Amino acid sequence: MPALRLPLSCRFLLLVGLCLQFLPSPASGQTHTSLFASALDGRRDAQTIESLRRADASTGAQSSPVDLQPGIRVGLNFATFGGDEAETIQTLLRGVPTVSETDAGRRTGFMVGGFIVADFGGLLALQPGVRYIQKGDQTAFTVRNSDGEPESGSITSKADYVEVPILARAELPEIGAVVPHVLAGPTLGFSVNTAADVTLGGESQGINVGDDLGGNAISLDFGAGADVETEAGTVTVDARFGLGLSDVPGLRFSAQNRGIM
């Protein structure tokens, strides 16, 4: 029997029919056309995601893991000296025959600076900063004048610094709009002034107690405070205790700074 030769167009249609027989059965209510459309949509979605990923990689766009919050800080420092020789000035005054009484006090100075709170999204944050701060000490005394009458006076020791505190800060559970915190850390300071003033009878005179410029001073800060949210921004109120670890630069005796900021 001679072979049966089909036209080319018939053979093509037969091949398409055989291929369709082996396609998976469509789900209920879904045609082959919708299956092909779903496959194309999935491909487009994958291409879109890949395109966005490549765009981010090319531009370097990524979410920052650190939230930086800058601020300024102003306040007062109530300073005194501590250590074995902190009462040197009082001891010297007691050796003066006309001095009848001495009393340790504090020098009230001011402080101004800036800081940054680096929040890493956990319990602890880092708070570095820089500040100008007035430290020192004050000793009050009573002396008899030439008429034998008592007269009040004081000696104020001045020790001023530019300091760089690097503090660790931990936030506590918030109370409404108030977020309390505690902080602690080391402080490196550079002495920019060491001097003293003697006040007696309403008049003041400077005296030399050491070198005008000293070296470095190391201390620790401990404190607590709270952030208060306002319409204008965040206001932070805190109190700190400064504990000097090294001698006050420029003094002729050994003493360390103490202060409540």
Side-chain angles (χ1 to χ4, degrees):
M1 176 182 284
L4 178 63
R5 294 182 177 272
L6 297 175
L8 181 60
S9 58
C10 293
R11 281 185 285 174
F12 177 76
L13 291 175
L14 180 60
L15 178 62
V16 171
L18 291 173
C19 291
L20 289 177
Q21 293 298 320
F22 290 97
L23 285 175
S25 299
S28 177
Q30 187 177 26
T31 64
H32 289 301
T33 304
S34 63
L35 281 173
F36 293 151
S38 298
L40 290 174
D41 289 340
R43 234 176 122 188
R44 291 193 190 101
D45 291 341
Q47 291 174 350
T48 301
I49 294 173
E50 181 64 15
S51 299
L52 292 175
R53 187 188 65 79
R54 290 178 179 177
D56 288 344
S58 63
T59 58
Q62 60 180 358
S63 59
S64 175
V66 183
D67 180 21
L68 300 179
Q69 305 164 16
I72 59 174
R73 189 165 183 260
V74 294
L76 298 177
N77 183 45
F78 304 97
T80 187
F81 289 155
D84 295 337
E85 300 180 20
E87 296 185 0
T88 297
I89 295 178
Q90 295 184 60
T91 302
L92 294 174
L93 285 173
R94 294 188 190 108
V96 178
T98 55
V99 173
S100 59
E101 185 179 354
T102 63
D103 185 24
R106 292 181 178 273
R107 181 197 180 193
T108 301
F110 74 89
M111 171 194 59
V112 60
F115 65 91
I116 294 178
V117 178
D119 188 355
F120 298 93
L123 176 64
L124 292 179
L126 191 64
Q127 184 173 317
V130 62
R131 68 191 180 204
Y132 174 81
I133 185 170
Q134 293 180 330
K135 299 183 178 182
D137 184 73
Q138 187 177 76
T139 299
F141 62 89
T142 302
V143 63
R144 294 188 302 274
N145 58 23
S146 57
D147 298 330
E149 297 177 353
E151 199 167 5
S152 298
S154 65
I155 297 179
T156 302
S157 302
K158 300 178 179 179
D160 303 340
Y161 299 85
V162 172
E163 294 184 332
V164 179
I166 303 176
L167 309 178
R169 167 175 165 149
E171 291 190 353
L172 303 177
E174 61 184 46
I175 306 172
V178 179
V179 182
H181 63 266
V182 293
L183 41 79
T187 296
L188 176 63
F190 180 77
S191 174
V192 295
N193 180 50
T194 302
D197 288 338
V198 177
T199 302
L200 183 63
E203 298 183 358
S204 181
Q205 181 178 356
I207 61 174
N208 182 20
V209 296
D211 300 330
D212 289 337
L213 295 179
N216 296 330
I218 300 175
S219 60
L220 293 175
D221 278 10
F222 305 91
D227 295 340
V228 182
E229 297 297 333
T230 67
E231 293 182 357
T234 302
V235 177
T236 299
V237 180
D238 68 19
R240 303 182 192 175
F241 174 70
L243 175 65
L245 301 180
S246 57
D247 287 345
V248 177
L251 286 184
R252 294 176 178 173
F253 56 91
S254 176
Q256 297 82 47
N257 287 302
R258 305 283 189 270
I260 298 175
M261 295 169 269

